[in-house]
């Protein structure tokens, strides 16, 4: 019995060795020795720069353990934009490229026609809402020279971004790591009309601007406030346009009222048909 067990174990060992030698090892060798073409950076590409044939090359490398989202052809990345800094020798992953140009502040890519983006300096911690402003906030800007005054043109203004002294965006919505130092706000960039931009420029050179938070995370309220601000700007700078608009609205209301008081009369045919049918029928 002991002999049979030893013989069985020996045969199993030989069979396992054969499988490893003739199946497993060749498979591993094919995987590790296989090659494929990938796209590699030949010179540094900064965030936002375009990827072209001038800063890339196609090289053949071992295919073992390559990430599945690596770029394998120049046609896959040519003309696209880097979403992060790429160093010489880096492989290009699909997560590091974008179809459209990017900006350090995406809000600057969609400024409405007739509006501008303009920044004002945060001169003290308190004047910038203690580094708590966020993109999309609706703020009110006060001017302080001798006394604090509300600026009618700047009662409701939308924040586009907050940046530190190096011009890097400050993200006050993100929780900091234990060893990470909080960025200090240095400027606030807002969406403004040309008239508002002139007032902000004057504040930069005359006194201190102080901001107050009015609305956050309420889109419907934000639109109402901004519409009210647009109305105020019309009253201050373009009263003639406001008068024309009000006159046109009044005319439209008068026309609608007259139409409601005097509905269209019935057609003569219907009226005559209704009144003449009785006598004709009586005669016949």
């Amino acid at each position: 019995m002991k002999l049979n067990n030893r013989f069985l174990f020996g045969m199993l060992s030989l069979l396992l060795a054969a499988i490893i030698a003739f199946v497993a090892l060749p498979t591993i060798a094919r995987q590790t020795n296989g090659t494929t073409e990938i796209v590699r950076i030949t010179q540094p590409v900064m965030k936002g720069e375009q990827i072209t044939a001038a800063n890339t090359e196609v090289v053949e490398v071992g295919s073992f353990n390559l990430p599945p989202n690596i770029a394998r052809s120049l046609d896959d990345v040519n003309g696209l934009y880097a979403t992060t800094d790429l160093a010489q020798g880096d492989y290009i992953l699909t997560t590091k490229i974008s179809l459209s140009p990017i900006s350090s502040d995406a809000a600057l890519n969609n400024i409405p026609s007739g509006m501008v983006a303009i920044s004002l300096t945060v001169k003290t911690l308190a004047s910038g809402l203690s580094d708590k402003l966020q993109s999309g906030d609706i703020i009110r800007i006060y001017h302080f020279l001798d006394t604090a005054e509300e600026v009618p043109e700047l009662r409701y203004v939308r924040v586009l971004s907050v940046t530190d002294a190096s011009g890097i965006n400050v993200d006050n919505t993100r929780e900091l790591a234990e060893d990470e130092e909080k960025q200090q706000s240095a400027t606030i960039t807002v969406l403004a009309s040309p008239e508002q931009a002139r007032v902000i420029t004057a504040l930069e050179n005359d006194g201190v601007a102080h901001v107050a938070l009015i609305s956050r995370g309420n889109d419907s309220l934000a639109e109402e406030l901004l519409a009210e601000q647009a109305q105020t700007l019309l009253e201050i700078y373009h009263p003639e346009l406001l008068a024309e608009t009000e006159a046109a609205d009044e005319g439209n209301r008068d026309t609608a009222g007259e139409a409601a008081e005097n509905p269209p009369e019935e057609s003569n045919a219907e009226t005559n048909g209704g009144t003449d049918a009785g006598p004709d029928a009586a005669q016949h």
Side-chain angles (χ1 to χ4, degrees):
M1 178 63 75
K2 292 183 179 179
L3 180 63
N4 290 338
N5 287 341
R6 291 177 181 177
F7 178 77
L8 180 61
F9 290 148
M11 291 299 296
L12 290 175
S13 299
L14 290 175
L15 179 61
L16 181 60
I19 293 174
I20 293 174
F22 296 105
V23 179
L25 290 179
T27 300
I28 295 173
R30 284 196 300 271
Q31 290 179 346
T32 56
N33 294 331
T35 60
T36 186
E37 290 186 342
I38 59 98
V39 182
R40 186 169 63 187
I41 296 295
T42 58
Q43 58 187 29
V45 177
M46 298 296 102
K47 180 179 179 179
E49 289 186 6
Q50 197 170 35
I51 297 173
T52 66
N55 52 33
T56 58
E57 63 180 352
V58 177
V59 295
E60 188 172 308
V61 298
S63 59
F64 180 68
N65 210 29
L66 284 177
N69 61 336
I70 194 170
R72 300 177 184 274
S73 169
L74 183 58
D75 292 337
D76 297 336
V77 297
N78 188 36
L80 303 185
Y81 298 86
T83 60
T84 186
D85 293 344
L86 299 174
Q88 182 178 358
D90 281 352
Y91 300 161
I92 302 178
L93 305 179
T94 56
T95 54
K96 296 183 178 181
I97 53 179
S98 170
L99 287 171
S100 57
I102 65 169
S103 167
S104 59
D105 194 332
L108 298 182
N109 294 330
N110 299 297
I111 298 176
S113 176
M115 303 292 283
V116 300
I118 187 169
S119 297
L120 61 149
T121 304
V122 178
K123 297 183 179 180
T124 66
L125 181 64
S127 66
L129 199 71
S130 303
D131 287 333
K132 298 185 184 301
L133 284 179
Q134 300 176 12
S135 174
D137 285 350
I138 302 299
I139 61 174
R140 180 171 299 164
I141 302 176
Y142 294 89
H143 171 232
F144 180 82
L145 187 57
D146 296 322
T147 59
E149 297 180 359
E150 181 180 302
V151 185
E153 294 93 335
L154 305 176
R155 296 188 71 238
Y156 305 116
V157 183
R158 186 189 296 277
V159 175
L160 292 179
S161 63
V162 181
T163 56
D164 64 12
S166 301
I168 299 174
N169 280 4
V170 176
D171 186 1
N172 290 319
T173 65
R174 182 175 59 87
E175 293 187 3
L176 299 178
E178 292 183 1
D179 57 345
E180 186 178 1
E181 185 177 352
K182 180 176 174 59
Q183 294 173 278
Q184 299 297 315
S185 301
T187 62
I188 303 169
T189 302
V190 300
L191 185 66
S193 70
E195 295 84 3
Q196 290 174 310
R198 285 194 291 269
V199 175
I200 291 173
T201 303
L203 296 185
E204 279 290 294
N205 296 283
D206 184 16
V208 177
H210 200 113
V211 304
L213 179 64
I214 302 298
S215 174
R216 171 180 292 172
N218 189 333
D219 293 338
S220 59
L221 177 59
E223 293 304 321
E224 291 177 11
L225 297 176
L226 294 176
E228 182 179 333
Q229 181 65 78
Q231 183 79 2
T232 300
L233 293 174
L234 279 177
E235 293 173 357
I236 297 174
Y237 294 98
H238 305 287
E240 68 285 354
L241 294 179
L242 184 61
E244 291 177 4
T245 302
E246 291 177 349
D249 291 342
E250 184 66 27
N252 292 336
R253 285 195 294 268
D254 291 343
T255 302
E258 291 176 0
E261 293 175 1
N262 302 304
E265 296 181 358
E266 296 180 353
S267 65
N268 292 334
E270 292 176 350
T271 303
N272 293 336
T275 55
D276 294 344
D280 292 341
Q283 290 176 3
H284 295 283

